Amino acid sequence: MKLVHISDIHIHPDPILGLDPIANFKACLAYVEAHDHDADRVVITGDLTHVGREDSYRELQRILAASSLKGKLAPRLLIGNHDDREVFASVFPGAQRDETGFIQWTEDTPAGLFVYMDTVDAGRHGGLYCAQRMAWLEKVLAGARAGGRRAYLFMHHNPVRVHVANADVIGILNEAELQGLLKRYNDTVAHLFFGHCHYTLSGAVAGIPFSAPRSANHACWPDFSGEINRMGYGELAPNYNVCFLGAHSTVVHSIDFLDAGKVQWRIEDDIEAIQL
């Protein structure tokens, strides 16, 4: 199964750190349409807007309506800390909620059960996965295990410390409790997908591999100085991830879509003439 994972598009009418989030998101979608139309799912893991304004959600709605990504390719939209849960739901009334009102749901896919999570703690940049949401997730994962199905989890916030101070201070507040739940189901959860940090990440937590793309607008530079108020940014390539979910493997590629024009192609009759 082929998955396109986009994150942190930050739709906003004004530039953010000198970059145009609307133009960059349109460029991202155009590249997906041109090169990844054979994907099975497209998922955007939050920070759909920059300040949670209705006009920004309306702009996102217009962009998606004009896109050829429909049906199974219509982007699945998660919310992040820059979003407003109720404003988002008012503009996207089809947003699926759990029984307690959080924007989280599940979907059957060719690879297994996709689990879309709501890690937003309203009014804070840090995330939270409260007792109600934990109970929902445990029920979902128990059902997947009982059915012999693999689960793939999608969320906005990083569920593990990434050793960059300005990211770790706004990660999931109760990450220890969430990691405890994940550990109990690491035979069922095949992979975790998240965003929030704005730089490419991969690793494992509770025995489960994870990956995250950069922001599709303003990528950041990982800084290991320990200074909470220090953030690296600039003319860094935004990207999205293309993930291949197999029965016995997961492969993740980073696509720097604005750099596509720099690529030179070489075709050889003899495959051995191409040396990597």
Side-chain angles (χ1 to χ4, degrees):
M1 177 180 173
K2 184 178 181 181
L3 162 72
V4 170
H5 177 199
I6 304 168
S7 198
D8 297 271
I9 60 177
H10 287 261
I11 298 299
H12 193 60
D14 302 316
I16 301 170
L17 299 177
L19 301 167
D20 185 339
I22 294 175
N24 281 337
F25 181 56
K26 287 180 176 179
C28 178
L29 278 192
Y31 197 84
V32 171
E33 290 175 313
H35 299 278
D36 298 305
H37 219 283
D38 60 338
D40 295 283
R41 293 293 186 281
V42 177
V43 179
I44 304 178
T45 51
D47 280 358
L48 305 174
T49 68
H50 193 51
V51 292
R53 289 175 10 184
E54 181 179 346
D55 64 317
S56 294
Y57 290 117
R58 296 289 180 195
E59 179 64 25
L60 174 58
Q61 193 177 54
R62 285 190 290 270
I63 295 170
L64 296 179
S67 167
S68 65
L69 301 177
K70 309 294 184 186
K72 72 175 184 179
L73 285 183
R76 276 50 174 170
L77 305 177
L78 281 68
I79 58 171
N81 52 291
H82 281 263
D83 291 305
D84 184 295
R85 187 180 287 115
E86 299 309 320
V87 177
F88 166 73
S90 72
V91 176
F92 292 90
Q96 298 188 57
R97 297 189 185 232
D98 68 10
E99 57 194 17
T100 56
F102 293 106
I103 297 174
Q104 50 182 24
W105 74 103
T106 64
E107 181 180 21
D108 287 311
T109 76
L113 186 69
F114 277 21
V115 182
Y116 304 115
M117 298 165 57
D118 180 342
T119 59
V120 171
D121 187 15
R124 293 184 63 254
H125 283 299
L128 179 70
Y129 209 64
C130 64
Q132 290 175 312
R133 284 174 276 190
M134 293 269 283
W136 176 86
L137 181 59
E138 179 140 35
K139 182 178 179 181
V140 165
L141 295 180
R145 175 188 278 167
R149 301 153 76 199
R150 287 173 298 168
Y152 295 85
L153 272 52
F154 297 82
M155 66 197 78
H156 178 68
H157 291 84
N158 46 304
V160 61
R161 295 185 182 277
V162 298
H163 302 280
V164 176
N166 64 14
D168 289 340
V169 75
I170 56 170
I172 294 180
L173 179 64
N174 60 327
E175 67 172 32
E177 290 84 352
L178 178 57
Q179 288 176 18
L181 174 59
L182 294 175
K183 186 175 182 180
R184 294 198 297 275
Y185 288 93
N186 63 12
D187 60 334
T188 301
V189 180
H191 200 90
L192 306 175
F193 301 92
F194 60 89
H196 191 45
C197 298
H198 287 226
Y199 32 79
T200 301
L201 280 165
S202 60
V205 59
I208 302 166
F210 65 73
S211 60
R214 298 173 215 133
S215 166
N217 182 58
H218 48 294
C220 290
W221 193 264
D223 168 47
F224 309 114
S225 68
E227 296 182 33
I228 291 176
N229 296 323
R230 189 172 189 237
M231 182 184 77
Y233 69 95
E235 294 184 11
L236 308 173
N239 77 353
Y240 67 88
N241 285 349
V242 171
C243 314
F244 294 90
L245 313 181
H248 304 291
S249 65
T250 299
V251 176
V252 179
H253 293 269
S254 293
I255 308 299
D256 299 349
F257 56 90
L258 293 185
D259 284 345
K262 302 176 183 178
V263 177
Q264 301 181 54
W265 297 98
R266 177 176 171 181
I267 306 296
E268 294 283 354
D269 293 331
D270 180 5
I271 187 64
E272 294 188 2
I274 299 180
Q275 300 294 323
L276 296 180

